[in-house]
Amino acid sequence: GHFVPNITIGASVVASLRGWTRLPLDVHLMIEQPERYISDFANSGANIITVHVEACPHLHRTIQAIKELGVRAGVALNPATPLSSIEEIIPYVSLILIMTVNPGFGGQVFIPEMLEKISRLHQMLENKKLTMELEVDGGITNDNALAIAKAGANVLAVGNSVFKAREGISHALRKIKETVN
């Protein structure tokens, strides 16, 4: 499937990782027609499968298919996609992912206007008395992690700021955790 220009990992990598960890594997499918691949990822050991609202013309059906496989379902939104596009699906998912960069490449700079979007989603969930993971992905660094958490995010998907850190992965990760705690 094509949705973003690059490919990261497939179901076989998820299956390989499953043999090494009991941690939850959160798979974010940045592909067109994700419904064609959800059973592969579920069978490979994914605990959570997140699909993009922009890639799913039949989002409710796709979310139901994920859940029928015994996997938690999530929905992702690109920066320019309004929150109104997920209002009807919110009660059916256990995770909402706000992209804070345009998806496809690591190392992009966080779009600061997304803090307001995260805050509005957090408020929307509180108003509906829904408890779920509000995940943020894209451009997260030690400099913006606290603001993201204060806006309402409770899961931060970090990439380059940790994996390309000069001081090492564990130190960079510990630094971000300390900042948000």
Side-chain angles (χ1 to χ4, degrees):
H2 296 271
F3 184 68
V4 296
N6 61 349
I7 296 173
T8 53
I9 64 172
S12 61
V13 175
V14 173
S16 295
L17 290 171
R18 178 47 63 214
W20 289 93
T21 184
R22 293 183 190 275
L23 291 171
L25 297 179
D26 179 356
V27 175
H28 177 187
L29 298 181
M30 289 188 266
I31 56 176
E32 289 178 0
Q33 299 177 324
E35 62 278 359
R36 295 173 51 200
Y37 304 97
I38 56 175
S39 63
D40 292 339
F41 281 97
N43 293 334
S44 72
N47 300 93
I48 306 165
I49 297 176
T50 300
V51 297
H52 272 263
V53 66
E54 303 89 355
C56 294
H58 306 289
L59 184 58
H60 188 269
R61 183 183 309 153
T62 302
I63 295 298
Q64 289 306 109
I66 293 168
K67 292 168 68 173
E68 287 170 4
L69 292 167
V71 177
R72 293 174 53 216
V75 64
L77 294 156
N78 283 342
T81 304
L83 293 175
S84 61
S85 66
I86 60 165
E87 283 184 73
E88 305 304 323
I89 202 69
I90 288 176
Y92 302 100
V93 298
S94 57
L95 179 148
I96 299 173
L97 170 59
I98 300 292
M99 293 299 302
T100 50
V101 299
N102 288 297
F105 295 102
Q108 295 182 65
V109 177
F110 180 86
I111 300 170
E113 292 79 10
M114 294 299 100
L115 286 172
E116 173 62 26
K117 186 176 189 177
I118 297 162
S119 181
R120 284 184 293 129
L121 176 57
H122 178 72
Q123 189 61 54
M124 184 187 300
L125 295 174
E126 280 192 348
N127 290 346
K128 294 177 181 280
K129 298 185 183 347
L130 294 170
T131 304
M132 66 179 62
E133 292 173 317
L134 196 170
E135 184 173 356
V136 172
D137 183 2
I140 298 170
T141 66
N142 197 51
D143 294 333
N144 61 22
L146 182 59
I148 295 166
K150 282 184 174 181
N154 53 20
V155 177
L156 305 180
V158 293
N160 281 358
S161 66
V162 168
F163 293 107
K164 292 189 176 182
R166 290 181 200 187
E167 65 271 12
I169 293 171
S170 60
H171 182 268
L173 188 57
R174 189 175 334 104
K175 208 163 120 181
I176 288 176
K177 287 172 112 176
E178 288 170 359
T179 297
V180 297
N181 288 333

